[in-house]
Amino acid sequence: KHWSRAEGRQRRAPHPSHREGGHWVGSCAGVDRLRSSFARKARDGHTNVWRALRCVRYKQHPTHHNKRDKKVKMLGRGVQVALLVLVGCRLLGGLRGKLGKKSRERRRLAQEAEMVMSELANADHYLKDNFEATPEAKHSVRSSDGAQLSPSLQGLSARSKNTEACRKLSELERLVERRGGFPPCAVVNGDLDRTLLRFLIASDYDVGRAADAVDDLKVWRRDERIDSLLGTAMRSLSAQKQNALRRCMPSTYHGRDLRGHPIHLEQTGRYNWDVLRHCEPEDLVRVHILAQEYQSRVLFPRASRDVGHTVDKMTNVLDLRGLNIGVLSNLQALSIFKEVQRIDQKYYPEMLNVTYIVNAGWVFRAVWRVLKVVFPAREQGKLKLVPRGKKGLEMLREAIPEEHIPAYLGGSCTYVKGCISGPGGTGDKACDGQEAMARDLREA
């Protein structure tokens, strides 16, 4: 009736949003088209035709309600997705709870190990020989679970003695002693507790794995004759090889940082892998092992005597100026690097204090993505990028005395012959640090 009364009468044009196919809803032709559209929708399964007819009666375009229906459907799908996400989160939450428990346990052990390590490093425990006490002294103190403590662990605070890390360390000491003991030359500063604690940390506090690592260390040192390396390594290298090493691989030891850690200085960006024309890859690996033995058996005890507490970690300063992407295509260089890292992590664990990366560009980021897989997560966190300019120099000054910062990095080093060898230093001649190392090796 509404439309029959309007038939033939001039009506006011409705809002443009009420159009249907370019015609006004108020026209009879528009109504016919809408009715045919409703019939088609009814055939397609849309049963709510009465509401659409009411839309026509009140001059509302049916697409308004279609949009509303779509919104409702979308809202329903959104609710379904939200429910699925909620269920998935609950399932993942349970799994994360289990993993989180292991993570919290690992963090707790790391904190306890750091506390025990710091107490063992103080002046009261400095350079103590753990296994030369009398049997009565050995069995005089027990931990909270009844385990026997070594003489050096007896001097720990009650809080440290009752930690899980101390209990595992004591258990590892007894297990290593039953298996034949620890190699004497590998005990840094004569402190067996800290030495074994480093192996325990590297083994994720698994006593069995740590004991197996010690067994591997003993076999490796025996087969490679590591104990005699200080006195024989440089003598086995010809003068031509030594000159090539100084010229192509500039690195040296350069004083200590503010906490007494020896500084290893290296111009990695100036490494020239033409050194392999003069030296075999085994020579480079052997020289690296020599450096590790030198710092463990010479530099660490000397630094410990000077500062009055145990020092058994290194500070590295790596200058990457000149590093190019071509190093990634040198498979022999990458193989040597991976072998060196494997030796460090397996036989000299937890000896890194911090590594400062100087003059790092985009090439370093590309190289680091490839090489970081061979570094444990603990050591990746010890990597610090030094910004350029005055800000970077101030960052170095916060950790290293001014006189031990190389002159080419803005420090006031007063070395006579130079801070480092290589193309940016003394060439194939020995710098001050290399000459000091040669004197120590001759006396070894």
Side-chain angles (χ1 to χ4, degrees):
K1 292 182 179 180
H2 177 79
W3 287 110
S4 63
R5 289 197 301 270
E7 191 172 352
R9 192 190 311 171
Q10 183 68 30
R11 302 188 55 152
R12 186 178 64 176
H15 192 272
S17 63
H18 297 165
R19 291 183 178 182
E20 167 70 9
H23 299 275
W24 301 114
V25 173
S27 64
C28 294
V31 172
D32 292 338
R33 278 192 295 274
L34 287 175
R35 285 175 176 171
S36 61
S37 175
F38 298 153
R40 186 170 59 253
K41 290 178 179 294
R43 287 195 305 270
D44 295 340
H46 298 276
T47 58
N48 199 0
V49 180
W50 175 249
R51 192 175 67 179
L53 288 172
R54 290 185 63 187
C55 295
V56 176
R57 181 176 181 181
Y58 293 105
K59 303 178 184 179
Q60 297 178 2
H61 197 280
T63 55
H64 286 243
H65 288 274
N66 291 342
K67 292 180 179 179
R68 193 178 304 161
D69 292 341
K70 289 180 181 179
K71 290 181 179 179
V72 173
K73 292 179 181 179
M74 292 178 63
L75 180 61
R77 292 193 185 99
V79 172
Q80 292 176 355
V81 171
L83 290 175
L84 290 176
V85 170
L86 180 61
V87 173
C89 289
R90 293 295 296 273
L91 294 175
L92 291 176
L95 180 61
R96 186 179 62 181
K98 296 180 180 178
L99 297 178
K101 184 177 180 181
K102 294 182 179 179
S103 178
R104 289 192 298 271
E105 178 72 13
R106 194 176 294 112
R107 285 197 301 268
R108 181 179 64 81
L109 284 172
Q111 293 173 356
E112 294 176 355
E114 182 66 25
M115 180 172 60
V116 173
M117 187 79 80
S118 62
E119 290 192 20
L120 290 173
N122 63 28
D124 295 334
H125 294 86
Y126 168 62
L127 293 180
K128 285 192 175 180
D129 192 351
N130 295 338
F131 287 96
E132 287 193 358
T134 61
E136 293 78 11
K138 271 190 177 183
H139 303 286
S140 59
V141 177
R142 295 177 179 268
S143 63
S144 60
D145 62 347
Q148 299 166 1
L149 298 179
S150 66
S152 185
L153 294 180
Q154 294 174 12
L156 296 176
S157 64
R159 180 182 178 187
S160 295
K161 290 178 184 177
N162 294 329
T163 59
E164 183 72 10
C166 185
R167 185 191 67 79
K168 287 179 176 289
L169 176 58
S170 180
E171 181 181 350
L172 176 60
E173 288 181 351
R174 296 193 304 273
L175 183 57
V176 169
E177 189 176 9
R178 287 198 301 268
R179 293 186 180 184
F182 197 87
C185 290
V187 179
V188 180
N189 289 328
D191 193 339
L192 182 61
D193 291 311
R194 282 180 64 92
T195 303
L196 286 176
L197 186 54
R198 287 200 307 273
F199 278 86
L200 186 62
I201 294 172
S203 303
D204 289 331
Y205 306 97
D206 188 323
V207 176
R209 283 177 52 194
D212 293 340
V214 173
D215 292 339
D216 294 341
L217 173 69
K218 290 188 289 187
V219 174
W220 176 73
R221 293 186 71 90
R222 183 186 66 243
D223 294 344
E224 299 295 331
R225 300 180 180 178
I226 303 299
D227 291 350
S228 61
L229 189 62
L230 288 181
T232 61
M234 295 307 294
R235 298 172 190 171
S236 62
L237 292 175
S238 65
Q240 181 183 3
K241 288 185 177 182
Q242 294 185 31
N243 292 337
L245 287 170
R246 286 192 288 263
R247 182 179 64 253
C248 298
M249 306 191 74
S251 62
T252 186
Y253 293 99
H254 199 271
R256 302 173 190 149
D257 64 11
L258 294 174
R259 298 173 58 189
H261 302 110
I263 298 173
H264 176 72
L265 183 63
E266 186 176 293
Q267 287 186 334
T268 314
R270 294 181 182 268
Y271 271 19
N272 185 355
W273 291 100
D274 287 343
V275 68
L276 293 174
R277 297 179 180 178
H278 307 279
C279 302
E280 297 295 328
E282 293 77 11
D283 295 331
L284 302 184
V285 175
R286 196 76 173 172
V287 168
H288 177 78
I289 298 173
L290 171 65
Q292 290 284 35
E293 288 293 306
Y294 175 68
Q295 68 187 29
S296 299
R297 296 162 61 180
V298 178
L299 295 182
F300 287 160
R302 183 180 298 166
S304 300
R305 285 192 297 268
D306 292 344
V307 301
H309 61 78
T310 300
V311 175
D312 53 7
K313 293 182 183 295
M314 288 294 301
T315 293
N316 295 332
V317 179
L318 308 184
D319 183 9
L320 302 188
R321 186 188 301 275
L323 184 67
N324 59 73
I325 199 68
V327 69
L328 293 179
S329 61
N330 193 330
L331 299 181
Q332 202 168 19
L334 293 178
S335 176
I336 294 173
F337 177 80
K338 291 180 180 179
E339 176 63 15
V340 163
Q341 291 304 315
R342 185 191 70 83
I343 291 174
D344 288 352
Q345 294 165 26
K346 189 170 184 179
Y347 305 122
Y348 303 95
E350 298 298 315
M351 285 191 175
L352 176 64
N353 174 46
V354 64
T355 296
Y356 293 101
I357 303 295
V358 185
N359 296 321
W362 67 270
V363 176
F364 166 73
R365 295 177 177 84
V367 174
W368 178 245
R369 291 191 186 98
V370 177
L371 299 181
K372 70 177 182 180
V373 295
V374 301
F375 289 90
R378 294 182 302 274
E379 293 193 4
Q380 293 181 23
K382 297 178 181 179
L383 194 73
K384 293 186 178 181
L385 294 178
V386 179
R388 299 178 185 270
K390 294 182 178 180
K391 190 175 180 180
L393 182 58
E394 290 299 323
M395 181 177 177
L396 291 177
R397 285 172 177 167
E398 292 177 358
I400 302 174
E402 182 78 19
E403 63 272 14
H404 291 164
I405 298 178
Y408 64 85
L409 294 180
S412 59
C413 171
T414 58
Y415 282 5
V416 177
K417 294 188 176 181
C419 299
I420 199 168
S421 62
T426 61
D428 59 359
K429 305 298 182 183
C431 63
D432 290 60
Q434 292 168 344
E435 282 194 347
M437 179 177 177
R439 286 194 302 268
D440 293 334
L441 293 179
R442 285 194 295 269
E443 297 174 359

